[in-house]
Amino acid sequence: MEIKYTIQGLLIYIAITAYLLAFLVTLLRRKKAGHILYIFGFIAAVLSFVYRWYDVHHVPLQNLFEVFLCLGMVCYPVSWFCRRMLRVGGGCGDMLIGAVVLFPAGFVFNAQPQHLPPALQSWLFVPHVAVYAISYIFMTKAAFQAVQQLAGIAPNPDENLLPPEEATYRMICVGFPLLTLGLILGSWWGKLAWGDYWGWDPKELWSLASWLVYVGYFHFRYMFGKKHPRINSAWAVAGILVIVITLLWVNLSRLFPGLHSYAI
Amino acid sequence: MNRFRRIVLWAALTLIILLIFLSIYGAFIGAERAKAFFNSLPLSICWIALILLLITGIWVFSRLIHIPGLLFMHAGCVLILTGAVCSSQAGHKLQSKLFGIDKIPSGQMIIFEGASENRVALEGDDQVRELPFYAKLKDFRIEYYKPEYLYIQNREGKNWKIPVQINTEFSLGDDIGTVRIVTKFENFKIKIEGDERVFYDDPQPGLNPALEVEIKSPDGQVTARYVFERFPGHIHPGDNFLLSYQRVISEYISELQIIRDDEVVAEKNIEVNHPLHFGGYHFYQADYDNKAGQYTILMVISDTGITIVYAGYLMLCVGVFWHFWIKHLFTVKKTNGN
């Protein structure tokens, strides 16, 4: 556990607190106050990201600290987009997701600024990491909806939101193209930097596994439709588990040494 | 859904699940072994089965033909897998047998500054083969982020980070004194002249970056210290400070010329992320002479199959975005219009 006594740390802690308060207040049915707190947390997360950008002189997506900072910032716009455009709820859960993803940035990962190594000095660096970050948030929301489906929780009929099974499908439909693009951009970048578009690196293989889980989900859902909603949801939950391993375990564990080790 | 289509779908789902578990297994055994594993005969059969299954799927499911997004996605996967087969060692051998095109799949070449070279040491093999042209290394250099820093730690664990600026004095605090970097060496050497040791920067090939540092205590006592980049943590028993000199590499650059029939036909500064493409090969910055900086090591990789893989990537990308995003945007617009 590492507490950051810096402006950077302060902004992260403000964002975490605001997200957590927003979650609690919304649970207590004070939706408007919860939403205001959520926006406040989002502003703190954006400020924290911008501050980091100014501090390191490059888009801060180099290591896990910066990626989690970005994830914490992306939560609110994704949540807003899903509710307004896709009729997918889960705003209360999104607030909790925001706090959870910012927690490692605030308390676990080292925030020491680093220079970009030669391999990361590519125009593909930002789009590759950014599309993955956004797709991960969509897939997290999909898993959240899937858990709701498994738990038998349905949205309030007054809210005009999709039932959890359909919401899961819609979330995966939005996140999957981004996941695919992230994989392809990574492969293209690997070809430019290391000479191989596919190096069989542990991170690459886990990313392929996560992509394949969603490919499996689509095929299963095409075969059986909504006949087995619990199995459909289990695919989505399996997907997020593999994503968490891809994002965290591969970089933190010594079990998986590889070309992506610098991303710690 | 008829029986054959159902079998195809079940086969697809089984193969997807199998690939998920194989990918996870591959991640546990490390990149080298995973590469050998996924290129082994049983797995090669699995890849070919996947290609055939995708083609069968496109053939038997009219939905895949009539919905452009789905067609692009599945056809894209076929192209990616076909390109991967073409670019593999086995693909190169097959190409040589069928069409007589005998290219080097991949390997490394060592080129000294000022020298030309066309020999490539093949990957995973002791063989050396020759390219039909020469590569000449005009110059190899490493660039570092500026400023460079001298790191100081005293016995109480207090740290300082001093930018390397010659003859600029930095205060370490009233009770500790000041520090000044007197000289910066690229290739530090010592010679004996009479009874004296002389420290100098050797212009001959070699790399031994070092700093000459002067630490002045508050009572005016001056201590000279030499700090070497390659020997961090070097400290004498009586020293009060641990000094280290660290530079962060920003780029490796090989200035390369391609020579055919005594004429320069291509020229490029090869950097990480900026390979040279010539004559059906890509040349990548792979390694360098870290003792003297006299040669570069380039990775040479055949471009066979890469266009097919990239075409597959493009089709897959267009397919997923069309099917999951753009198609729906048009539908929403149309609904709103109506």
Side-chain angles (χ1 to χ4, degrees):
Chain A
M1 189 81 117
E2 183 193 287
I3 296 173
K4 296 173 175 68
Y5 299 98
T6 54
I7 296 171
Q8 178 81 72
L10 182 71
L11 288 168
I12 296 171
Y13 300 140
I14 290 172
I16 294 175
T17 313
Y19 282 159
L20 278 177
L21 283 174
F23 172 69
L24 292 172
V25 167
T26 311
L27 272 187
L28 295 170
R29 300 187 185 277
R30 304 271 183 221
K31 285 197 175 174
K32 206 167 181 182
H35 192 75
I36 290 168
L37 279 164
Y38 195 18
I39 293 175
F40 184 68
F42 167 65
I43 292 168
V46 171
L47 286 176
S48 175
F49 189 79
V50 172
Y51 182 85
R52 179 69 177 182
W53 193 335
Y54 173 77
D55 197 23
V56 294
H57 306 298
H58 57 76
V59 184
L61 293 170
Q62 184 184 0
N63 46 39
L64 286 177
F65 169 75
E66 293 171 356
V67 168
F68 275 82
L69 209 56
C70 173
L71 290 174
M73 181 185 69
V74 171
C75 278
Y76 177 77
V78 169
S79 180
W80 180 88
F81 174 78
C82 290
R83 196 172 188 89
R84 287 290 171 94
M85 307 289 177
L86 306 171
R87 288 172 49 222
V88 174
C92 184
D94 295 347
M95 295 160 189
L96 190 62
I97 293 170
V100 169
V101 295
L102 277 178
F103 184 85
F107 296 101
V108 181
F109 298 127
N110 191 333
Q112 190 68 35
Q114 295 163 345
H115 287 295
L116 281 182
L120 293 191
Q121 292 168 32
S122 163
W123 72 269
L124 287 162
F125 164 52
V126 174
H128 167 64
V129 186
V131 292
Y132 258 131
I134 300 169
S135 78
Y136 284 174
I137 292 293
F138 276 109
M139 294 316 193
T140 310
K141 272 185 74 71
F144 187 76
Q145 292 293 332
V147 170
Q148 282 195 322
Q149 192 278 321
L150 288 169
I153 302 167
N156 188 341
D158 302 339
E159 288 183 304
N160 190 27
L161 295 172
L162 289 177
E165 200 283 332
E166 275 179 55
T168 307
Y169 177 66
R170 200 166 273 196
M171 286 292 88
I172 295 177
C173 284
V174 177
F176 184 71
L178 295 171
L179 202 67
T180 310
L181 185 63
L183 194 64
I184 287 173
L185 289 176
S187 172
W188 185 15
W189 185 10
K191 177 68 186 161
L192 288 176
W194 301 316
D196 251 333
Y197 55 86
W198 196 257
W200 305 106
D201 183 75
K203 186 103 172 171
E204 292 174 8
L205 284 165
W206 276 107
S207 325
L208 178 66
S210 53
W211 187 77
L212 284 168
V213 169
Y214 292 106
V215 171
Y217 169 82
F218 284 122
H219 282 80
F220 187 85
R221 201 172 183 278
Y222 174 68
M223 284 167 80
F224 299 103
K226 295 177 198 169
K227 224 191 284 180
H228 303 294
R230 296 179 77 84
I231 303 179
N232 288 350
S233 299
W235 277 99
V237 174
I240 200 64
L241 289 178
V242 180
I243 283 176
V244 170
I245 292 170
T246 311
L247 184 61
L248 281 174
W249 194 30
V250 175
N251 285 92
L252 298 177
S253 166
R254 287 183 186 174
L255 267 175
F256 305 109
L259 292 166
H260 292 79
S261 307
Y262 54 76
I264 298 171
Chain B
M1 197 181 291
N2 70 29
R3 196 178 150 82
F4 184 59
R5 286 185 187 178
R6 192 160 280 278
I7 290 170
V8 171
L9 264 177
W10 270 111
L13 194 62
T14 310
L15 215 51
I16 289 165
I17 294 170
L18 179 71
L19 278 176
I20 292 170
F21 283 105
L22 289 176
S23 303
I24 293 171
Y25 169 71
F28 277 95
I29 60 176
E32 282 297 312
R33 285 178 63 199
K35 187 177 180 181
F37 174 68
F38 282 100
N39 282 290
S40 64
L41 186 65
L43 266 292
S44 301
I45 293 168
C46 183
W47 296 125
I48 290 169
L50 187 58
I51 296 174
L52 293 175
L53 191 65
L54 280 160
I55 294 169
T56 314
I58 296 170
W59 180 46
V60 298
F61 285 92
S62 55
R63 185 178 145 86
L64 289 188
I65 305 266
H66 295 125
I67 301 176
L70 290 177
L71 178 66
F72 269 59
M73 274 187 252
H74 289 82
C77 290
V78 173
L79 285 181
I80 293 166
L81 291 167
T82 310
V85 171
C86 292
S87 61
S88 68
Q89 299 265 357
H92 276 83
K93 278 182 192 163
L94 196 69
Q95 190 181 229
S96 167
K97 274 189 184 169
L98 293 177
F99 310 112
I101 303 167
D102 190 18
K103 282 173 80 176
I104 299 167
S106 63
Q108 287 195 331
M109 59 197 304
I110 298 176
I111 318 175
F112 280 83
E113 279 180 334
S116 299
E117 187 57 82
N118 72 336
R119 289 170 301 167
V120 179
L122 300 194
E123 189 189 326
D125 210 323
D126 290 337
Q127 272 189 315
V128 172
R129 287 183 58 189
E130 289 180 357
L131 290 169
F133 48 83
Y134 282 84
K136 182 182 178 184
L137 181 67
K138 280 170 68 183
D139 185 36
F140 173 76
R141 62 180 188 277
I142 301 172
E143 288 181 353
Y144 297 90
Y145 280 105
K146 301 283 178 202
E148 298 161 5
Y149 288 101
L150 168 72
Y151 293 86
I152 306 175
Q153 186 183 41
N154 71 1
R155 290 196 177 271
E156 284 74 47
K158 199 169 175 196
N159 295 292
W160 294 268
K161 186 177 165 186
I162 309 287
V164 175
Q165 290 169 9
I166 304 300
N167 283 328
T168 307
E169 205 164 66
F170 292 94
S171 170
L172 304 179
D174 292 343
D175 50 340
I176 297 170
T178 59
V179 63
R180 185 169 66 95
I181 297 162
V182 182
T183 322
K184 185 183 156 189
F185 302 89
E186 281 303 321
N187 189 18
F188 179 92
K189 288 277 167 67
I190 305 172
K191 63 183 173 186
I192 307 292
E193 280 183 359
D195 289 339
E196 278 193 13
R197 287 186 302 172
V198 178
F199 307 106
Y200 69 105
D201 207 353
D202 192 350
Q204 294 300 313
L207 285 172
N208 187 18
L211 296 175
E212 182 186 353
V213 179
E214 216 176 71
I215 299 170
K216 198 193 272 183
S217 63
D219 58 9
Q221 195 184 346
V222 177
T223 323
R225 289 277 303 274
Y226 290 90
V227 192
F228 302 93
E229 189 192 26
R230 300 203 161 195
F231 308 100
H234 178 75
I235 190 166
H236 295 293
D239 290 342
N240 290 323
F241 299 99
L242 173 67
L243 307 177
S244 64
Y245 172 36
Q246 291 169 16
R247 299 189 291 179
V248 181
I249 293 171
S250 69
E251 201 52 86
Y252 308 94
I253 302 167
S254 292
E255 287 183 27
L256 202 76
Q257 286 180 329
I258 300 294
I259 298 168
R260 187 153 58 188
D261 302 328
D262 296 328
E263 263 185 59
V264 177
V265 286
E267 194 164 2
K268 187 170 180 179
N269 287 0
I270 298 179
E271 299 168 27
V272 181
N273 285 309
H274 300 282
L276 167 69
H277 185 219
F278 182 82
Y281 294 95
H282 284 106
F283 296 81
Y284 296 88
Q285 182 63 51
D287 209 342
Y288 68 103
D289 170 19
N290 64 1
K291 289 204 174 96
Q294 287 301 288
Y295 61 81
T296 187
I297 301 178
L298 300 181
M299 192 154 57
V300 184
I301 295 181
S302 153
D303 65 358
T304 304
I306 191 69
T307 318
I308 305 173
V309 172
Y310 283 170
Y313 283 170
L314 187 66
M315 283 185 80
L316 177 60
C317 245
V318 170
V320 283
F321 278 98
W322 177 263
H323 188 72
F324 291 112
W325 283 26
I326 300 166
K327 197 176 81 174
H328 297 284
L329 288 179
F330 281 129
T331 315
V332 170
K333 217 173 172 185
K334 219 170 160 181
T335 316
N336 290 343
N338 288 339

